[in-house]
Amino acid sequence: MTISNSEREARIDLAAAFRLAVRYELHEGVCNHFSLAVPGAEGRFLLNPYGLHWSELTASNLLTLDTDGNILEGEGRAEASAFHIHSRIHAAHPNAACVLHSHMPYSTALTCLHRGRLEPVEQNALRFHDDIAYDDNYGGVVLEGGEGDRLASCIGTKRVLFLASHGVIVVGRTVAEAFDDLYYLERAARVQVLALSTGRPLNRLAEDVQRLTGEQLRQEQPVLALAHFTAMKRLLDRDEPEYAR
């Protein structure tokens, strides 16, 4: 297939995100899904084909879909829940160019608690101050557009959505920003689960400190995320260069 340079770079970044998710244990079998709006092509997005392990994914075997579910490029099929979640969020939130859905273990563990929340108890959690939405009503597997629309409404303008008894959705303007958030969200959740395992009460930080730190980290996030993602791609270039194929 003939693609533009910008789409080629987009494919490489998204393929890198899949490979890195395996490396950092943010994946689950051949399930879960990441998507990215095709640069300069309104209503089209890249998505992983169902059935490939994320360690197998390459830039060239990602699917290109439109918002009606038509596969415009690539071989294989789009998993139904992947299409209904990602197509609706892309359509409702044009600034959410990258949409990552994962059942990563520590974040998902928090979604299994009654009104589970990422608590403001350490610096990584404060990256997400006032930027997490919570859906406390598990509605089953997302197999129709109405449920996808509901999730798109739930996330609103936030960067993260916790799905009760399910997992998380993270959105960003770029793959680098979204993946950086996914990575640090799981790190923050892991620290919280470890702290809770002691049986001692959590030490919630003061609201003014939460707000200040959240603002500081948000201002720096685009630069820091790009540096982090670029460094991780260098590791892939060294160890798994076929991801960019």
Side-chain angles (χ1 to χ4, degrees):
M1 58 185 176
T2 302
I3 60 174
S4 66
N5 288 335
S6 60
E7 181 177 342
R8 174 66 182 163
E9 291 304 313
R11 285 175 168 272
I12 290 172
D13 279 355
L14 192 58
F18 285 111
R19 296 294 185 104
L20 292 166
V22 175
R23 183 169 291 215
Y24 298 112
E25 298 186 355
L26 309 179
H27 68 306
E28 186 173 66
V30 296
C31 302
N32 303 176
H33 15 85
F34 292 174
S35 66
L36 179 64
V38 176
E42 185 176 353
R44 297 187 178 191
F45 61 95
L46 304 173
L47 183 72
N48 50 305
Y50 181 72
L52 286 181
H53 193 271
W54 289 11
S55 63
E56 299 179 283
L57 278 163
T58 66
S60 61
N61 61 28
L62 294 169
L63 303 176
T64 302
L65 282 75
D66 64 20
T67 52
D68 293 323
N70 299 307
I71 296 176
L72 307 176
E73 299 283 358
E75 297 181 1
R77 68 181 181 91
E79 196 263 335
S81 64
F83 170 71
H84 290 301
I85 291 173
H86 292 259
S87 64
R88 295 311 196 269
I89 292 177
H90 282 299
H93 306 292
N95 289 331
C98 186
V99 180
L100 310 180
H101 172 52
S102 170
H103 299 170
M104 52 194 189
Y106 291 96
S107 297
T108 301
L110 296 185
T111 76
C112 297
L113 301 174
H114 176 65
R115 292 189 61 78
R117 299 292 187 264
L118 184 69
E119 300 291 349
V121 295
E122 58 94 34
Q123 182 167 288
N124 283 332
L126 300 186
R127 295 168 60 98
F128 306 100
H129 174 67
D130 198 31
D131 228 348
I132 299 178
Y134 294 91
D135 174 21
D136 292 320
N137 301 296
Y138 178 69
V141 180
V142 183
L143 295 179
E144 48 86 25
E147 182 65 2
D149 288 333
R150 188 183 73 81
L151 295 181
S153 177
C154 283
I155 196 169
T157 59
K158 307 294 188 184
R159 288 151 58 199
V160 177
L161 174 63
F162 272 68
L163 306 168
S165 303
H166 186 175
V168 297
I169 295 172
V170 174
V171 303
R173 294 172 298 180
T174 65
V175 176
E177 290 183 25
F179 192 85
D180 189 62
D181 276 346
L182 193 76
Y183 174 92
Y184 280 107
L185 182 67
E186 182 69 347
R187 298 282 294 190
R190 183 170 71 172
V191 168
Q192 182 174 323
V193 170
L194 289 171
L196 288 170
S197 73
T198 68
R200 298 181 62 184
L202 296 175
N203 180 33
R204 291 175 58 92
L205 297 168
E207 177 61 36
D208 61 334
V209 173
Q210 296 178 40
R211 183 169 53 254
L212 172 62
T213 309
E215 291 171 355
Q216 291 172 328
L217 293 172
R218 268 192 296 274
Q219 290 173 1
E220 296 296 324
Q221 201 246 357
V223 174
L224 297 178
L226 181 59
H228 185 202
F229 194 67
T230 301
M232 290 189 289
K233 284 176 66 180
R234 286 198 298 269
L235 300 182
L236 291 177
D237 290 338
R238 181 192 68 194
D239 301 335
E240 305 174 55
E242 71 278 4
Y243 83 95
R245 192 175 65 224

